[in-house]
Amino acid sequence: YISLSWTMGEPIKALTPRNILAADLPAHYPGTPKNWEDVSPLSSTPLSEIYETLTTEDQALFSQIRRFRGPWLLSSSSDRNDTIICCSHAFIDTMGYPSGSLAGRNCKCLQQGALQGPGEWNAVRNETLRSAFEKDEDVNVTLVNFHFKGAEAVPFGNNLTVLHLSDEEGVKWRLGVIKRVSCPVLGARPGKRKKE
């Protein structure tokens, strides 16, 4: 990660995924959604229960991220399958999968078993994720994921940031924040895929 220094004042914070997402938002941004209205009812674990376990610092970080009203998902750091247990409406809407087909599944289902090209690209990034997860380190990668338009699975670049959230005893949750971006490997578009 990049670290910058400011010669006339205090050092600028390192540009880590956590510091970038925790940066102050402009005043015109709306506040954190009330009454968990941004949380998908398809979540198997209520976000209110998860919030109760978080440190004050991580509660503030998560509340800040929720102000974006964007796609996010949560899994337990102790779950080797990284099952999606809680997610935002925006995540469900962005992906366009059939109702109930994402919550409770491994996040890799978004890769649709892609081979050649996107699959090879993802394999390297999945190894980066695995290594970071083993160390409970925050990480940022760009994957090729698929969202659905009708019956067609359409590839897109997913700039995925995963932050490790803690309770009083240590890391307990993984928060994935999604942002659509361009991805070099998608220059040659994979064939269309049908919903499974």
Side-chain angles (χ1 to χ4, degrees):
Y1 301 119
I2 300 171
S3 180
L4 303 175
S5 296
W6 182 249
T7 57
M8 298 181 66
E10 295 182 2
I12 297 174
K13 288 184 178 180
L15 295 180
T16 65
R18 179 172 292 257
N19 287 339
I20 291 170
L21 289 173
D24 291 338
L25 294 175
H28 68 271
Y29 266 75
T32 302
K34 299 183 182 300
N35 302 316
W36 316 106
E37 62 190 24
D38 58 320
V39 182
S40 171
L42 299 174
S43 302
S44 60
T45 303
L47 186 56
S48 57
E49 292 182 10
I50 294 171
Y51 254 61
E52 290 176 0
T53 70
L54 297 177
T55 63
T56 302
E57 178 182 348
D58 281 349
Q59 280 185 7
L61 174 64
F62 200 171
S63 293
Q64 162 97 333
I65 290 168
R66 291 173 58 214
R67 290 180 63 191
F68 289 105
R69 267 58 174 187
W72 54 260
L73 57 135
L74 270 171
S75 65
S76 169
S77 62
S78 62
D79 179 9
R80 295 182 65 85
N81 289 323
D82 288 305
T83 302
I84 301 169
I85 60 172
C86 189
C87 57
S88 64
H89 281 296
F91 172 72
I92 298 294
D93 294 344
T94 295
M95 295 306 165
Y97 283 65
S99 178
S101 64
L102 287 180
R105 294 189 64 189
N106 184 296
C107 310
K108 283 187 179 179
C109 68
L110 300 174
Q111 298 178 26
Q112 286 287 304
L115 302 173
Q116 303 173 349
E120 294 164 357
W121 173 278
N122 282 348
V124 175
R125 279 79 193 166
N126 286 335
E127 181 60 26
T128 299
L129 289 170
R130 186 193 64 77
S131 177
F133 290 176
E134 285 183 351
K135 303 170 188 173
D136 288 336
E137 292 179 347
D138 298 337
V139 62
N140 176 266
V141 297
T142 297
L143 297 165
V144 176
N145 282 169
F146 289 81
H147 70 99
F148 278 99
K149 288 185 177 180
E152 179 187 354
V154 181
F156 71 97
N158 171 12
N159 185 251
L160 173 67
T161 298
V162 180
L163 304 178
H164 287 79
L165 306 181
S166 300
D167 63 9
E168 296 292 330
E169 298 178 354
V171 171
K172 190 164 186 179
W173 309 101
R174 292 192 184 109
L175 170 62
V177 183
I178 291 173
K179 181 180 180 181
R180 288 174 180 254
V181 295
S182 60
C183 185
V185 76
L186 292 180
R189 181 178 165 181
K192 298 179 181 178
R193 297 174 181 273
K194 301 296 183 181
K195 288 185 180 179
E196 297 178 353

